Amino acid sequence: MENTQSLYISLFNEEKSDVLKELLHACVDEICGRPGPSYRKFINSMDWSRAEYEGVYKLISTLLRNPASLHMVDEKMPQEYHELPEQVQHNVLTCLKVRREHLTNALLREHYKRKLPTLTDFDWRLKLVMGSSKMSSLRESLLQLDLIVEDVESRRIINLELSKDELETVINALEASV
C-alpha cells in the first residue's frame, strides 16, 4: 500500500489539480453515456505514461461506479478512496458533490438495464386518416408511438398506433402505475 501511495502522490501532484478535476468530470461524463476521457486529451497536460494513465483511469472509473461513493461519507467510501492522497480525496468528493445526481441516475439506469428491459427514449407522430377502403371520409387522428427499449443484449423499437381513446387508456394506466 505504501508503494501505491507514493505512486499516487507522484501522479497527482498539486500543480495538476485542474487536470485531475477535468479527468474526474470526463469519467463521470462517460458513466452518464457521453464521450469520456482519452489518453490523447491528457498526454500534454500530464506527465504520465499510457500504462499510468490506464491505471488512473481504471481507478477513478471503479471508484465513481461504486454506489458506496455516492454516500460521500468517509466511513462508507471504498478502499480505493482511502489509498489516495488527501488532496485527491478532496477533489473526488468535490466532483461527487457536483455530479451526484447525474451519477446516481446513470448507475440506476445501468442497474435496471441489467435486470429488466428499460424504456430509454420515444418518438411520436400524429397522423390524420382521411379515409380507408371501408369508408370514404373517416377523418380519424392516430398517434404513432415508437418506444425505444434496451436491455443487456439488445436495443429494439416497439411501434404502437393508437386512436384517441386508446391513447387516453395508455396514459391513465401509466398515471395509475406511478
Side-chain angles (χ1 to χ4, degrees):
M1 180 168 151
E2 189 61 41
N3 188 21
T4 307
Q5 186 78 348
S6 63
L7 173 67
Y8 290 147
I9 288 173
S10 68
L11 293 177
F12 297 120
N13 56 25
E14 284 286 331
E15 305 93 49
K16 305 293 183 178
S17 181
D18 291 337
V19 179
L20 173 62
K21 290 175 188 174
E22 186 179 348
L23 179 61
L24 283 166
H25 285 282
C27 287
V28 172
D29 286 342
E30 182 178 56
I31 293 168
C32 292
R34 292 185 289 277
S38 68
Y39 178 66
R40 281 193 358 243
K41 182 176 181 179
F42 291 98
I43 192 169
N44 294 328
S45 52
M46 288 291 203
D47 302 326
W48 295 347
S49 68
R50 186 157 195 78
E52 289 171 334
Y53 168 80
E54 294 294 333
V56 169
Y57 165 74
K58 184 177 177 186
L59 169 76
I60 290 173
S61 290
T62 303
L63 183 63
L64 293 175
R65 284 184 187 276
N66 190 329
S69 297
L70 298 174
H71 291 289
M72 297 185 298
V73 177
D74 253 1
E75 298 82 40
K76 294 184 179 183
M77 291 301 276
Q79 181 61 35
E80 298 92 0
Y81 172 82
H82 297 289
E83 294 175 359
L84 296 171
E86 191 173 319
Q87 120 263 0
V88 176
Q89 289 179 7
H90 175 72
N91 285 332
V92 168
L93 281 179
T94 302
C95 178
L96 284 170
K97 285 177 186 174
V98 171
R99 304 292 297 274
R100 182 179 185 184
E101 185 177 343
H102 296 132
L103 265 175
T104 302
N105 291 338
L107 293 176
L108 284 173
R109 233 183 345 266
E110 281 182 14
H111 173 74
Y112 288 130
K113 206 183 284 184
R114 280 181 291 208
K115 300 291 182 188
L116 299 168
T118 305
L119 177 69
T120 57
D121 202 2
F122 66 94
D123 190 18
W124 62 273
R125 292 166 301 289
L126 186 60
K127 294 190 173 188
L128 182 60
V129 178
M130 299 299 286
S132 72
S133 60
K134 294 180 184 174
M135 299 177 76
S136 62
S137 62
L138 186 59
R139 299 189 68 117
E140 180 182 4
S141 56
L142 291 175
L143 178 76
Q144 285 189 325
L145 181 62
D146 296 336
L147 303 174
I148 294 109
V149 178
E150 292 182 6
D151 59 16
V152 177
E153 295 100 29
S154 66
R155 179 177 191 229
R156 63 184 189 273
I157 299 174
I158 300 172
N159 299 308
L160 301 173
E161 189 171 272
L162 306 168
S163 68
K164 185 176 180 180
D165 294 334
E166 291 168 331
L167 178 60
E168 285 181 19
T169 303
V170 169
I171 291 171
N172 289 336
L174 290 171
E175 287 176 345
S177 68
V178 174

